[in-house]
Amino acid sequence: MAYTTINKSSDNFNTKLYTGNGSTQTITGVGFQPDFMWIKERSGTSSHALINAVSGINKKLMSNSTDVESTETNYITAVSNDGFSVGQNNGINQSGITNVAWNWKANGSGSANTDGSITSTVSANTTAGFSIVSYTGTGSASTVGHGLSTAPSVIIIKNRSVTKPWQVGHKSLRFQNGIYLNETSASPSDHGAFNSTNPTTSVFTIETSSYVNTSGHNYIAYCFAEKTGYSKFGSYTGNGNADGSFIYTGFKPAFVMVKRTNNTGHWQLVDTKRPSYNPQYYLRANSNNAEATDIDFDIVSNGFKTRSTDTSYNGSGDSYIYMAFAEAPLVGTNNVPCTAR
């Protein structure tokens, strides 16, 4: 099979850095039209802004908050085939404040999906294994179509209608014990959100938990299926040593998010666009804190390695889950990403 390299901005995921100007500006160089934009001030303390094309680019949720979805007409004002425009606001465009935007490509504003017992609106990029799913809860155990044609490894859900935590399902937790994106807490022992049921190639299952399925409430779900050479979702055990654990992904990651699951710990976010040869800068999905610089992570050609005894990502005997996306994946003639040669 012949393989072609996606340009380094990637056709499906890209990290973009920019500095706010306090007015309006267009951010280019993303390399595609972003359908999911996760933006955070680096040098400021405004909350994370998670914005997608299915809910509408004027709708915002915050990963560090349980707040309901808000309408923000001056956050993202437009998207293009190479980026997005930001309006005059102090959340993602404050004058002189540096920002990072993590961008994913789905498939526009989405269309109806009837694979599940709940009809959902789905924007799916099957090549990259990513979909954005909007649905309305029924209050009864249900299934929801995700549009990926392969089972998701990670699903992140937020109630848009009322104040509720973010619910994360991860294959390494077997979709039994969920975990909350906005909190530092360990994975709880309840089995309510995903009905202790792994996703299938067409649907994911939700129980009666108000976090994911209250009758009449609106929800957004971000679904990620693993693609060889492009994305990896797994777990590892820390060794509590400065010569820390090595986690094999099969590609050079551009973005990694890590969370300790057996005890409290932050959701650590690192990427390869923020300065330094290997990531020393991090943000936390559960916190509005500005960027900090004391993380020791090595990003290498086939994975990442912890270089610290910090319990947030390498406590002795502690359990961790992670999400990783590639810097410059290869795609074959069958349009499937593959491991670099």
Side-chain angles (χ1 to χ4, degrees), residues 90-139:
N90 286 329
I92 60 173
N93 195 28
Q94 186 172 344
S95 180
I97 298 296
T98 56
N99 300 268
V100 58
W102 300 295
N103 303 278
W104 284 263
K105 179 181 178 180
N107 191 24
S109 59
S111 58
N113 181 296
T114 57
D115 290 340
S117 59
I118 294 175
T119 297
S120 54
T121 300
V122 176
S123 175
N125 179 347
T126 56
T127 299
F130 171 61
S131 68
I132 306 167
V133 180
S134 175
Y135 67 93
T136 300
T138 64

Side-chain angles (χ1 to χ4, degrees), residues 58-311:
N58 65 335
K59 303 295 184 181
K60 172 179 70 81
L61 289 164
M62 299 172 287
S63 64
N64 57 292
S65 171
T66 61
D67 283 0
V68 300
E69 183 179 77
S70 63
T71 299
E72 306 287 351
T73 57
N74 289 321
Y75 266 61
I76 301 296
T77 58
V79 292
S80 71
N81 61 7
D82 192 37
F84 55 91
S85 298
V86 293
Q88 185 174 358
N89 68 83
N90 286 329
I92 60 173
N93 195 28
Q94 186 172 344
S95 180
I97 298 296
T98 56
N99 300 268
V100 58
W102 300 295
N103 303 278
W104 284 263
K105 179 181 178 180
N107 191 24
S109 59
S111 58
N113 181 296
T114 57
D115 290 340
S117 59
I118 294 175
T119 297
S120 54
T121 300
V122 176
S123 175
N125 179 347
T126 56
T127 299
F130 171 61
S131 68
I132 306 167
V133 180
S134 175
Y135 67 93
T136 300
T138 64
S140 302
S142 304
T143 57
V144 182
H146 54 68
L148 292 177
S149 301
T150 187
S153 296
V154 174
I155 301 174
I156 303 172
I157 301 178
K158 178 68 177 73
N159 189 321
R160 300 162 59 192
S161 301
V162 300
T163 299
K164 291 292 179 182
W166 289 78
Q167 182 73 54
V168 180
H170 194 287
K171 71 172 188 178
S172 297
L173 301 176
R174 297 172 296 165
F175 287 88
Q176 293 184 8
N177 302 343
I179 196 164
Y180 308 128
L181 183 64
N182 55 284
E183 297 181 3
T184 62
S185 56
S187 178
S189 58
D190 68 90
H191 299 170
F194 296 97
N195 205 23
S196 298
T197 305
N198 288 324
T200 72
T201 57
S202 59
V203 300
F204 60 89
T205 300
I206 49 176
E207 246 283 19
T208 57
S209 165
S210 60
Y211 301 164
V212 297
N213 192 19
T214 293
S215 179
H217 287 192
N218 296 321
Y219 296 85
I220 198 74
Y222 298 106
C223 302
F224 301 90
E226 202 166 277
K227 292 292 181 178
T228 303
Y230 169 68
S231 59
K232 185 75 173 176
F233 314 107
S235 62
Y236 66 92
T237 301
N239 66 10
N241 193 297
D243 184 14
S245 304
F246 172 71
I247 296 86
Y248 176 82
T249 61
F251 54 82
K252 182 178 182 180
F255 170 98
V256 179
M257 179 163 69
V258 170
K259 171 71 173 78
R260 183 164 67 162
T261 59
N262 65 306
N263 208 327
T264 57
H266 295 283
W267 292 85
Q268 306 281 22
L269 295 160
V270 298
D271 63 68
T272 56
K273 290 290 182 70
R274 287 177 286 161
S276 81
Y277 174 74
N278 270 321
Q280 304 294 323
Y281 292 76
Y282 69 90
L283 290 159
R284 291 168 168 169
N286 56 282
S287 171
N288 67 330
N289 287 354
E291 183 177 75
T293 60
D294 58 347
I295 196 168
D296 282 315
F297 250 69
D298 279 352
I299 298 292
V300 297
S301 62
N302 59 351
F304 62 97
K305 183 176 176 64
T306 60
R307 292 286 189 183
S308 171
T309 61
D310 192 317
T311 57

